[in-house]
Amino acid sequence: MIHTASTQRQESLSMLAHVAGLKAEPWHPDRQSDYVLADLCSETETLPDFLSELVRYLDRNLSVAVVWTSFEELEAVYALLPQARCHFLVDAEDVEAVPILAGALGRRGMNRLHDKDRLVEFSSLHRISDELAEFARTLARIAERDTTQTLADKPVSFRPAPIGGFQPFPTKVVSHSSALTSEKLREIIRLRRQRERFFDNGLFADPAWDILLDLKAAQIEKQMVSVSSLCIAAAVPPTTALRWISAMTESGMLIRQQDPDDARRVFILLSDETSARIEDYFASIADRLVQII
């Protein structure tokens, strides 16, 4: 089902659903659907009410939502909607939804990731996802050349966020003492960004490591990091960053924490296990002569 504020947008999303082999109908909270396509970019006043209604709908029908939102509204949308049942497209082109609607980036398989009997299936799913994602990027590049317009959410990483998140840590790690400081981490981040002065940033996209470095520095500084701030720190388009944040959160590497003073915002933190592993890593390379970035 499709929820949008304009008839023209309803038609474009209906066409998108048709291309993906789906039957599209207008939004109706009492009808069951596999997917909800919700364009919230143009909605402001009615946004909180619809988000609450959508949360109840997704929980009741076990549906998956594909949500278009602007970067300005990202905090509220991400805070209120259930991460495990939503895909967020931030200032993104519709073509980014093709792999999702084709089932390559579905949320339903997440809970079965660690079922040993399904390893082959998930390996195949990952390959299909990559192929569909590359097909979507190719269409986007063709559209960009034809219209001479710049895409708002160009993919810059050759490594998509992993399907179903990451494998959980097998054992508890005891952190070694090290001289890891926020100043050192911030300097590493600056050095990583420095490469973009000389090379295209797509060559070095590594959002997972950028996310971990930023969160560890913030942890040492005793600062909280919002979702939008972390998307910026990931140094990739926000839609890509959100996929990584979601995958890392679902795996337990990161922790999602509601802002006690504002229900429209969530903070992202490192889990104790992830934080310890970062410290162990830097302790293990402390005697190296070469600066690791």
Side-chain angles (χ1 to χ4, degrees), residues 51-287:
L51 289 179
S52 299
E53 183 178 42
L54 182 57
V55 170
R56 293 190 296 269
Y57 181 87
L58 296 177
D59 183 59
R60 183 172 66 251
N61 296 288
L62 304 180
S63 304
V64 173
V66 182
V67 179
W68 282 261
T69 182
S70 64
F71 192 78
E72 290 72 21
E73 295 293 337
L74 173 59
E75 290 288 348
V77 171
Y78 194 80
L80 293 177
L81 292 180
Q83 175 185 305
R85 295 203 169 277
C86 295
H87 296 273
F88 301 93
L89 302 181
V90 187
D91 293 326
E93 295 293 319
D94 291 350
V95 70
E96 290 287 326
V98 172
I100 300 171
L101 298 179
L105 298 176
R107 295 294 192 197
R108 290 193 178 98
M110 294 291 191
N111 296 333
R112 297 181 292 180
L113 176 63
H114 308 301
D115 184 342
K116 294 181 180 180
D117 295 334
R118 304 185 67 85
L119 291 179
V120 175
E121 178 180 337
F122 276 97
S123 175
S124 300
L125 189 62
H126 203 320
R127 176 181 56 78
I128 294 171
S129 170
D130 288 347
E131 292 174 354
L132 285 172
E134 182 57 34
F135 176 68
R137 295 182 188 116
T138 301
L139 291 178
R141 287 193 292 267
I142 293 173
E144 180 184 7
R145 289 196 299 267
D146 291 343
T147 61
T148 66
Q149 295 178 351
T150 300
L151 291 179
D153 191 17
K154 286 184 179 179
V156 298
S157 174
F158 292 104
R159 284 194 300 170
I163 303 302
F166 301 83
Q167 293 289 345
F169 295 128
T171 57
K172 182 174 179 58
V173 174
V174 178
S175 177
H176 306 293
S177 60
S178 66
L180 186 60
T181 64
S182 64
E183 289 78 12
K184 178 178 180 178
L185 292 170
R186 296 297 183 195
E187 177 63 15
I188 291 175
I189 294 171
R190 282 192 290 271
L191 289 174
R192 289 170 65 79
R193 300 286 76 80
Q194 183 79 356
R195 297 176 302 189
E196 296 166 11
R197 290 183 53 195
F198 305 94
F199 302 97
D200 185 273
N201 61 352
L203 292 173
F204 305 108
D206 188 9
W209 189 231
D210 283 315
I211 287 170
L212 294 178
L213 289 174
D214 188 74
L215 287 177
K216 185 60 181 178
Q219 182 188 69
I220 296 173
E221 296 164 350
K222 301 187 184 305
Q223 299 292 324
M224 304 298 287
V225 180
S226 66
V227 171
S228 57
S229 295
L230 195 56
C231 284
I232 295 172
V236 291
T239 295
T240 304
L242 278 179
R243 290 191 184 119
W244 281 93
I245 293 170
S246 296
M248 296 168 77
T249 302
E250 289 166 0
S251 73
M253 292 183 70
L254 308 181
I255 298 173
R256 172 180 168 134
Q257 178 178 302
Q258 199 83 29
D259 183 348
D261 299 320
D262 189 349
R264 298 168 300 174
R265 182 169 64 174
V266 295
F267 297 122
I268 304 296
L269 299 79
L270 294 173
S271 69
D272 292 341
E273 191 88 19
T274 305
S275 179
R277 283 177 174 263
I278 294 174
E279 293 181 12
D280 290 339
Y281 167 72
F282 280 100
S284 72
I285 64 171
D287 59 345

